Amino acid sequence: MKEITLEAFGGKADGKFNNTGAFALAFAELARNGGGKLTLSKGVWSTGPIDIPSDTTLEISEGAEISFIFDPNLYPPAFTRWEGVECYAMHPLVFSSHTKNVKITGKGTINGNGEPWWKLKKAKKDAGQTEPKDSYEKILASMNPGYENQPGGGGGREIQFLRPSLVEVSFAENVTIEGVTIKDSPFWTVHPLYVKNITLKDLHIENPYTAPNTDGIDVDSCENVLIENCFVSVGDDGICIKSGSGPDGIRINKPTVNVEIKGCTVRNAHGGIVLGSETAAGMSGIHASDCDVSGTDRGIRIKSRRGRGGDINDIELKNLVMNDTLCPIAMNMYYKCGITDQKSPLFSLEKQPVTSETPRIHNVKIIGCKGTGCKASAGFIVGLPEMPIDNLEIRDCYFTTDEKSDRSPMESDMFYGLPEVTEKSFRILNAPGLKLENVKIEGPKETFIYK
């Protein structure tokens, strides 16, 4: 295997020199030789976007940092899936597409320098921007016809400010990302998309809680995934399973199947172990065990809504610790993000026609989980009247509520259309097949509320 360093291609680790060209030359050299290893030594390697070819290992040594330059114009359009819809978005900072046998390893750091991206997103929102304005937004808009009517989750699709993911691998096979620290992403942090056989192990992923849309790990229409011993603390969902949104995801029809999540820790996120809300192609064989997701907003979070589609089944979530959450278990089919019309039929309490865009949740087991000090409620399970949550089993679980907390039960998850409740009970609606066995709840006056 050919082994090279960036210095051999003119690279400098002084935190100032732009190494974009050096990375391109180094990876081109490895591609010409059928692959190999690029090792980064100690120092700060400032750069624009990088593309990793097949059969290549990027080893980031301890003390080495890849530091990405903030400039939206440096990240030209790249084909991807952005909040569940195939489109062109800004080029991911680290990208490997249509590849195989790619590894990113080492004890170094990948730094997305996300703060100016987050500030720019906020400035655009505060200014009331409602359509593409800057040149890079207009370019994306011209490449994404019909974007105005595509679903989103609040990230900025309507103005085409489609920020880049930090590490994205797409249309790939046999991928390993192990050991590195990945921080301060402009948008989603680690995004495997259409990948078969991927291992994410011993990663340290960290973004500020206030950083918008900075999910930790988003497994998107992938097959055979292992996520093990990772630490994630981010400004949106922690470890998340997705498979496309609405008609576009249904068209592509690539489910996420066979995912094992083991021994991970998630902090501060909107959700710890999350499925959705991009559920269109479905997901199955999702198993999480022996994880600590304490201090997140929701420990277990399964979310979708009418129009998103997808069959969610064969889910087992076992031996999870979920202390000091807002709500330890949230299964929400009235998810509101990306919608402003609260009176939309999407949120009706009456039965609606069942179509290909009606999501379904069934065959879910939650076993041996514990959550103390829950601030909003002991649990939240809400299905659709036309598609109730079916064959859901919760057993050997223990939850306590913090009755002194001022957080409302209505903060258990993000939804529209449901009647108000005031008790921090375990709320259940449209889940007639729910089986509860040895589930103990302490704190609220009413243990369960069915409304």
Side-chain angles (χ1 to χ4, degrees):
M1 179 175 67
K2 187 176 181 68
E3 298 188 16
I4 60 176
T5 66
L6 206 58
E7 289 95 336
F9 297 85
K12 299 178 183 178
D14 61 3
K16 299 177 181 179
F17 180 76
N18 185 341
N19 288 283
T20 306
F23 273 111
L25 290 171
F27 285 130
E29 175 69 13
L30 292 180
R32 281 193 296 271
N33 285 272
K37 179 193 287 188
L38 170 62
T39 299
L40 299 182
S41 58
K42 184 177 180 180
V44 177
W45 302 90
S46 182
T47 187
I50 64 176
D51 290 84
I52 304 176
S54 291
D55 302 303
T56 295
T57 296
L58 172 61
E59 183 169 319
I60 309 170
S61 303
E62 186 171 7
E65 176 179 298
I66 304 176
S67 179
F68 285 92
I69 300 166
F70 168 70
D71 181 352
N73 294 296
L74 286 180
Y75 302 90
F79 187 74
T80 182
R81 177 188 264 171
W82 204 90
E83 287 193 333
V85 176
E86 284 193 342
C87 64
Y88 287 89
M90 294 184 192
H91 190 294
L93 309 189
V94 177
F95 197 31
S96 186
S97 187
H98 296 87
T99 52
K100 59 182 178 63
N101 306 326
V102 168
K103 295 183 180 180
I104 301 173
T105 65
K107 295 183 178 180
T109 298
I110 304 174
N111 185 350
N113 291 307
E115 185 172 5
W117 292 96
W118 312 327
K119 287 182 175 179
L120 183 55
K121 180 184 186 299
K122 183 178 186 301
K124 290 174 177 291
K125 182 178 180 180
D126 291 347
Q129 184 176 338
T130 58
E131 61 184 11
K133 180 180 177 182
D134 289 304
S135 60
Y136 48 83
E137 295 168 340
K138 292 179 180 179
I139 290 171
L140 290 174
S142 71
M143 301 177 73
N144 296 324
Y147 72 88
E148 301 93 335
N149 300 314
Q150 293 173 342
R157 186 184 302 280
E158 69 282 359
I159 64 172
Q160 291 290 281
F161 182 51
L162 306 183
R163 289 166 286 153
S165 298
L166 182 38
V167 178
E168 181 171 311
V169 182
S170 66
F171 302 94
E173 292 187 29
N174 305 328
V175 175
T176 299
I177 306 176
E178 182 175 3
V180 295
T181 293
I182 307 173
K183 68 177 187 177
D184 292 348
S185 178
F187 183 59
W188 292 355
T189 308
V190 177
H191 183 203
L193 172 65
Y194 309 143
V195 178
K196 183 176 181 180
N197 304 329
I198 180 169
T199 296
L200 306 174
K201 186 175 181 181
D202 298 326
L203 301 179
H204 185 104
I205 297 172
E206 193 158 3
N207 304 311
Y209 179 73
T210 55
N213 314 111
T214 54
D215 296 15
I217 297 171
D218 286 300
V219 176
D220 200 346
S221 291
C222 294
E223 180 181 351
N224 302 334
V225 180
L226 173 63
I227 304 172
E228 186 173 13
N229 296 332
C230 293
F231 175 89
V232 179
S233 179
V234 294
D236 208 310
D237 288 325
I239 299 173
C240 194
I241 311 302
K242 300 178 181 291
S243 64
S245 182
D248 192 63
I250 293 170
R251 172 186 64 83
I252 296 163
N253 192 30
K254 291 185 178 180
T256 291
V257 295
N258 299 333
V259 179
E260 293 287 338
I261 305 168
K262 302 190 295 184
C264 292
T265 300
V266 183
R267 295 286 185 264
N268 298 320
H270 293 183
I273 307 298
V274 183
L275 283 67
S277 63
E278 295 89 342
T279 56
M283 49 195 68
S284 62
I286 313 301
H287 303 147
S289 61
D290 303 310
C291 296
D292 187 336
V293 295
S294 299
T296 60
D297 289 349
R298 296 137 200 114
I300 294 168
R301 191 183 197 194
I302 302 177
K303 53 180 176 171
S304 192
R305 64 168 176 258
R306 295 174 176 116
R308 296 239 152 176
D311 188 319
I312 303 167
N313 73 94
D314 184 17
I315 312 300
E316 184 175 276
L317 308 166
K318 187 175 181 180
N319 298 335
L320 306 183
V321 178
M322 304 180 285
N323 299 328
D324 302 314
T325 63
L326 287 176
C327 177
I329 301 171
M331 299 176 65
N332 175 16
M333 299 291 266
Y334 283 75
Y335 184 64
K336 72 179 185 180
C337 287
I339 300 290
T340 57
D341 181 8
Q342 299 187 32
K343 297 182 179 180
S344 167
L346 295 174
F347 308 110
S348 173
L349 292 173
E350 302 298 322
K351 286 185 178 181
Q352 303 294 306
V354 174
T355 72
S356 63
E357 296 180 17
T358 304
R360 183 186 181 195
I361 300 173
H362 61 114
N363 299 335
V364 178
K365 294 181 180 180
I366 299 173
I367 304 169
C369 294
K370 177 182 179 181
T372 61
C374 305
K375 299 177 181 66
S377 71
F380 177 92
I381 295 175
V382 178
L384 296 170
E386 69 272 19
M387 189 64 74
I389 296 171
D390 185 40
N391 197 20
L392 168 61
E393 176 183 343
I394 304 176
R395 60 181 168 91
D396 301 327
C397 292
Y398 173 72
F399 305 111
T400 70
T401 57
D402 179 359
E403 293 299 311
K404 294 182 179 179
S405 170
D406 62 357
R407 306 301 292 268
S408 166
M410 301 297 282
E411 297 179 72
S412 297
D413 205 358
M414 302 170 182
F415 56 83
Y416 287 142
L418 302 180
E420 187 170 357
V421 297
T422 57
E423 287 287 332
K424 298 180 186 293
S425 310
F426 200 119
R427 183 178 191 175
I428 301 166
L429 179 66
N430 298 324
L434 173 60
K435 180 181 179 181
L436 297 168
E437 180 180 330
N438 191 29
V439 177
K440 186 176 183 180
I441 296 173
E442 296 181 353
K445 294 177 182 179
E446 293 184 73
T447 306
F448 295 94
I449 293 178
Y450 295 83
K451 65 184 293 186

